[in-house]
Amino acid sequence: MSESERPIHVVGGGIAGLVAAITAAEGGAPVVLHEAGGRLGGRAVGSAERPWVNLGPHVVFTDGALVRWLRQQRIDVSMRGPMVRGLRMLDDRGTQFPIRQAVQLLPTVLRREAPVDETFGAWAGNAFGEATADLLCRLGGLITYHHDPGALSARFMWERYRRSFLSADRVRWISGGWLSLVDALAARARTLGVHIELDDRVMPQTLPDAPTVIATKLSAAARVLDRGLSWPGARTALLDVATTSDRGWPAVIADVRSDLATCCMIERETAVDPDALGGKGGHLIQAQLGVAPDVGVAEGVARIEDGLDVGFPGWRDAIGWRRAQIVVDATGAVDPPGTTWRDRPSVVQGDDLFLAGDAVAAPGFLSEVSVNSAVDAARRALNARRGRAFAPGWPTVELTPERRLAVLAAVLPAASLNTTTAASADDVEPVDETGPGYRVEQRAGVTTATSITADDGGVRITRLASSRLPGIARAAVERLPVWRRPFRR
Amino acid sequence: MEDQVRAAQGGDPFAMDALLTELAPWVGRLCSSIALDKGDDAMQETFISVLKNLPTLREPAAFRGWVRRIAVREALRAATGDRAVAVADIPEVAVVPDFETAVDIRDTLTKLSPSRRAVLVLRYLEDLSEHEVAELLGTPEGTVKSGLHRARESFREQWREA
Ligand SMILES: Cc1cc2nc3c(=O)[nH]c(=O)nc-3n(C[C@H](O)[C@H](O)[C@H](O)COP(=O)(O)OP(=O)(O)OC[C@H]3O[C@@H](n4cnc5c(N)ncnc54)[C@H](O)[C@@H]3O)c2cc1C
């Protein structure tokens, strides 16, 4: 085989593998994708019999890496939401509108940063007082699927809390379930000529020639690469119920009763997306609860059902179908105190092997980590391949985020650049949550881009703003506060 | 890529940004192989020129060739703006690059004039024919041939045969 025909291999056909394959194919390489199972999608596809029913409640964020990447690629996936009504809180006093909690959480709006080294519980206790900290830790279960969110890094939790609760208007549901996302990705991959091999489990002895992107869960990657790769994750009980009727039930119940250190979330998917059951009629309720290692399926699910009994009266008489299970390390990485995403297993594994997935060193939320790491891994694989295909060792230079901004500033209308410095990258972590060190955004006709570069001891932050609006209107929009709704969906 | 080119022609900043990402590894290698230390400036100028002139590109399918031209022009401009090494002073010594470890390519390139580097890059990195190289650089084919011949000599047998 001539070097220019040398393919990039991708192991794993979940979101990470598909994104990596598309990125590599777009970069001009032949791509072979190896998927162990008989279908694509990995965890994004529920089960063989009901693939359209997601593996537990799944949402996406319009400001996150997944949605942004889909937009950039012009891959059309239809979404529903935001959900503005129908959230109820179930606490020790019963089911209610979350008004009291919203008021209680109001002061949290002002806090932007949290430390890496403290536990979320301890930090929030000092910052907001015990009662509020307690509520915050429980609510953390909604976004981490973890049984004890208060024990995780304060920075990790705070970033997630701010993004999902203070910007609840950016939450979307994918219509027809994540199956339709997977189908759209697979269609694009096929259009680009990606060669997809199903039922093709890669083993250490059948590891294809590099450059290769391993886009499996860490445990599988560790087996394939025969090296230690691990990171803490969550253990989560899941209950899915299809019912024949809807008895005026709420859309979402957050069960934060005090026997839990976390929250049990019960979501009536069909309230947001009538197609959540694949257009088959009926109603779909999905619930998740982070459980400790010693809790079994029966016990975990019984606790979920207890919340259903209170919030969804009559549900037991309307069951059409039911699925209960515990998933382990399936909901992405969680960062313990003292660690950030940068400490997780690296994308670069040496010998032109690259890792992608939701527990790899990349920023973002849940599957956004898969997307960010997949794009990163595929670009590196492309570079490695170019290096091999053409004479290796030709000089090359990278497009640094700062130079990239300089380019955009020179071509976008009425652009301004402005550079500041900060003591450490940690202080600006949220800026790069959707892409390592760099991102572009658009709001009300104003394009903004930010880059973060290490600068001896500290970091340099460069911001670009550009707009086609006339001066006054533009100044007004730039000064506009980013309106964030309080916790309300 | 063509869709992105069209969207960028329409002024979509996300498409422009995506184009930069797609092109950077390729343009970075082109520019720094010709302009060496000035490679990053050359790349920046290339991208500015590409995005500014994008609306004038009529056939998005011709995009890559068009970008290559701009990159070579900007790299030559960046390289020759640097008068530290006069073109006439560049010795045509035989340096034998080690292709396996490939540490000496850069070294070898520094000993050539920018325009000869451009010939090498286009012929061997970009796989263009001698005719295409001549056309792109606006030089007679004979000049490209003799240039390559001498460069091949200086690189000895290490180069992939034409
Ligand atoms: C209950 C639950 C709720 C979630 N909620 C959300 C949410 O709201 N928002 C969100 O963004 N994300 C959510 N997620 C996370 C999201 O589902 C995952 O991050 C994402 O699907 C991971 O994709 P991946 O490609 O990295 O991994 P996977 O989907 O696990 O894909 C890995 C693939 O590799 C294959 N494979 C494994 N070993 C081999 C081998 N040796 N050879 C070949 N192939 C192999 C597997 O079969 C699989 O198809 C949730 C997950 C769960 C479980």
Side-chain angles (χ1 to χ4, degrees):
Chain A
M1 177 183 357
S2 97
E3 288 291 357
S4 62
E5 290 161 23
R6 176 195 284 276
I8 288 177
H9 291 274
V10 176
V11 180
I15 303 285
L18 286 166
V19 169
I22 291 170
T23 307
E26 283 227 304
V31 179
V32 184
L33 186 150
H34 310 262
E35 164 57 49
R39 54 160 177 78
L40 294 171
R43 276 170 279 158
V45 175
S47 68
E49 321 82 69
R50 284 181 179 71
W52 54 84
V53 176
N54 294 340
L55 187 54
H58 269 70
V59 297
V60 295
F61 298 83
T62 56
D63 61 339
L66 174 60
V67 174
R68 179 174 321 212
W69 184 84
L70 290 171
R71 272 196 206 132
Q72 275 176 7
Q73 297 294 320
R74 286 159 213 282
I75 295 177
D76 220 17
V77 174
S78 91
M79 299 180 198
R80 311 239 184 195
M83 188 203 291
V84 282
R85 283 171 293 133
L87 174 84
R88 300 288 181 280
M89 203 67 102
L90 170 55
D91 63 13
D92 293 341
R93 302 173 209 196
T95 317
Q96 47 206 290
F97 289 96
I99 299 171
R100 199 171 46 79
Q101 283 88 355
V103 172
Q104 188 182 355
L105 294 177
L106 219 49
T108 65
V109 175
L110 299 174
R111 279 289 180 142
R112 290 188 171 268
E113 263 115 46
V116 173
D117 293 336
E118 274 180 73
T119 65
F120 182 51
W123 171 78
N126 285 330
F128 310 114
E130 282 315 317
T132 303
D134 200 53
L135 177 60
L136 280 171
C137 289
R138 277 171 220 285
L139 288 176
L142 283 177
I143 39 182
T144 57
Y145 304 80
H146 194 264
H147 68 284
D148 189 8
L152 302 174
S153 155
R155 158 79 46 80
F156 173 83
M157 288 304 302
W158 202 232
E159 206 185 302
R160 272 149 187 76
Y161 170 77
R162 287 186 62 84
R163 266 190 79 200
S164 45
F165 290 93
L166 304 186
S167 313
D169 54 325
R170 298 185 183 170
V171 177
R172 295 288 184 281
W173 283 256
I174 297 180
S175 321
W178 280 39
L179 176 65
S180 56
L181 166 66
V182 170
D183 286 345
L185 294 178
R188 174 59 59 88
R190 291 204 171 90
T191 307
L192 290 168
V194 172
H195 182 83
I196 296 173
E197 290 278 357
L198 297 177
D199 297 313
D200 181 12
R201 178 176 298 280
V202 170
M203 315 285 233
Q205 59 279 15
T206 58
L207 184 65
D209 283 342
T212 298
V213 175
I214 315 284
T216 66
K217 279 174 72 171
L218 280 184
S219 50
R223 252 174 277 131
V224 169
L225 295 179
D226 193 20
R227 64 187 69 168
L229 296 168
S230 66
W231 193 260
R235 194 162 180 276
T236 312
L238 301 176
L239 175 66
D240 306 311
V241 181
T243 64
T244 43
S245 65
D246 161 14
R247 314 203 167 168
W249 291 321
V252 181
I253 291 247
D255 176 354
V256 291
R257 285 176 290 172
S258 59
D259 61 311
L260 296 174
T262 184
C263 162
C264 171
M265 174 166 70
I266 311 172
E267 201 168 278
R268 189 161 56 87
E269 303 291 326
T270 31
V272 211
D273 178 12
D275 292 335
L277 271 174
K280 306 266 184 297
H283 300 270
L284 176 64
I285 300 173
Q286 296 199 283
Q288 62 93 351
L289 170 66
V291 291
D294 58 341
V295 175
V297 184
E299 191 186 340
V301 170
R303 179 61 187 79
I304 295 178
E305 289 180 337
D306 198 52
L308 270 161
D309 287 339
V310 183
F312 295 73
W315 74 278
R316 286 183 195 265
D317 305 326
I319 299 176
W321 166 74
R322 183 180 180 278
R323 174 173 77 189
Q325 61 196 316
I326 283 186
V327 291
V328 180
D329 293 343
T331 47
V334 297
D335 297 338
T339 64
T340 72
W341 59 263
R342 294 172 211 275
D343 301 307
R344 296 179 204 149
S346 164
V347 168
V348 179
Q349 290 290 317
D351 299 329
D352 292 345
L353 294 167
F354 307 95
L355 280 190
D358 61 1
V360 171
F365 242 52
L366 300 162
S367 68
E368 292 169 11
V369 181
S370 291
V371 172
N372 276 327
S373 58
V375 171
D376 190 16
R379 289 203 187 123
R380 290 175 190 275
L382 279 168
N383 271 339
R385 180 178 171 276
R386 285 191 187 105
R388 284 170 182 243
F390 304 114
W394 284 81
T396 186
V397 62
E398 271 187 48
L399 180 63
T400 63
E402 272 183 326
R403 287 210 180 248
R404 187 189 276 252
L405 282 195
V407 169
L408 291 177
V411 297
L412 290 175
S416 63
L417 265 189
N418 143 19
T419 300
T420 51
T421 52
S424 80
D426 287 348
D427 298 339
V428 288
E429 186 90 81
V431 175
D432 62 355
E433 73 204 350
T434 53
Y438 177 76
R439 82 174 182 198
V440 194
E441 279 177 317
Q442 219 172 10
R443 173 164 48 98
V446 178
T447 305
T448 54
T450 311
S451 87
I452 301 176
T453 321
D455 182 17
D456 52 14
V459 291
R460 211 163 48 245
I461 307 157
T462 308
R463 284 184 216 281
L464 168 141
S466 148
S467 158
R468 289 181 195 282
L469 300 175
I472 302 174
R474 178 181 172 196
V477 170
E478 273 171 24
R479 228 162 277 146
L480 219 63
V482 184
W483 179 248
R484 291 173 191 282
R485 255 173 269 220
F487 181 32
R488 185 158 62 93
R489 294 213 277 192
Chain B
M1 185 92 137
E2 277 180 36
D3 286 350
Q4 269 167 5
V5 172
R6 284 205 186 84
Q9 284 183 317
D12 176 349
F14 289 112
M16 292 188 189
D17 190 56
L19 277 186
L20 295 184
T21 304
E22 291 303 326
L23 296 174
W26 172 54
V27 169
R29 199 178 290 270
L30 261 178
C31 284
S32 77
S33 293
I34 298 174
L36 300 179
D37 291 345
K38 296 274 169 24
D40 43 8
D41 289 338
M43 174 163 64
Q44 182 171 332
E45 291 308 317
T46 301
F47 283 142
I48 291 175
S49 180
V50 164
L51 293 182
K52 271 205 172 133
N53 294 300
L54 206 51
T56 68
L57 178 73
R58 259 163 302 145
E59 192 37 74
F63 183 61
R64 279 201 172 248
W66 181 72
V67 172
R68 181 189 290 125
R69 259 169 215 279
I70 297 177
V72 170
R73 187 191 70 197
E74 291 301 337
L76 281 173
R77 196 202 306 247
T80 49
D82 175 13
R83 294 270 158 230
V85 184
V87 176
D89 297 341
I90 295 169
E92 304 239 336
V93 289
V95 182
V96 182
D98 171 359
F99 250 38
E100 284 312 304
T101 54
V103 281
D104 285 338
I105 295 177
R106 194 191 169 86
D107 236 34
T108 312
L109 289 170
T110 37
K111 303 217 163 70
L112 301 172
S113 71
S115 53
R116 192 153 296 154
R117 288 203 289 268
V119 171
L120 281 183
V121 165
L122 290 171
R123 182 69 192 88
Y124 294 110
L125 192 59
E126 290 291 288
D127 252 344
L128 299 191
S129 69
E130 287 172 6
H131 175 75
E132 288 166 320
V133 175
E135 193 263 337
L136 196 153
L137 292 173
T139 47
E141 211 173 316
T143 316
V144 170
K145 266 199 172 54
S146 62
L148 277 173
H149 180 72
R150 253 171 297 161
R152 254 199 304 267
E153 266 174 11
S154 56
F155 276 82
R156 291 254 177 84
E157 67 283 358
Q158 311 297 338
W159 286 92
R160 196 147 40 105
E161 270 311 310

